[in-house]
Amino acid sequence: MKKIFANILSGRNDLSIRFTELIQLLRAMGFNERIKGSHHIFYRHDIEEILNLQPNGAQAKAYQVKQVRTVILKYRLEEPNV
């Protein structure tokens, strides 16, 4: 988790983030997940934004990685201890 968390925060490799790793990170950070078709919808009671993610093959979409980074920084979320 440390590596993926650092990669997301760096903003240098948004196109190389694997979708499954992004989902695992959000789950480890306490987000709840609801799946509707190919949409993975993540929410948390103390976070105003809802993250709606879809895979792009095996990768996460770059703009969605940026949305996750924005939420992490806005709410000063900590790296999960997993």
Side-chain angles (χ1 to χ4, degrees):
M1 288 295 151
K2 273 185 184 263
K3 184 178 179 185
I4 188 71
F5 189 80
N7 282 343
I8 289 171
L9 288 184
S10 77
R12 287 180 268 139
N13 301 322
D14 288 354
L15 288 172
S16 66
I17 304 294
R18 296 186 61 78
F19 186 73
T20 54
E21 292 175 333
L22 185 60
I23 286 178
Q24 289 171 353
L25 177 68
L26 290 171
R27 288 177 187 156
M29 294 176 74
F31 281 84
N32 296 304
E33 179 183 16
R34 190 174 78 234
I35 300 173
K36 192 164 190 161
S38 65
H39 295 260
H40 293 252
I41 302 159
F42 290 89
Y43 58 95
R44 211 168 102 167
H45 74 309
D46 58 340
I47 305 286
E48 186 176 323
E49 289 85 357
I50 294 172
L51 298 168
N52 186 351
L53 308 179
Q54 292 176 276
N56 185 16
Q59 304 303 111
K61 294 181 179 181
Y63 79 92
Q64 293 173 345
V65 174
K66 184 178 179 184
Q67 289 174 345
V68 171
R69 180 173 45 256
T70 301
V71 167
I72 290 171
L73 294 173
K74 178 179 178 181
Y75 293 94
R76 297 184 176 144
L77 300 177
E78 299 289 324
E79 178 182 338
N81 295 325
V82 177

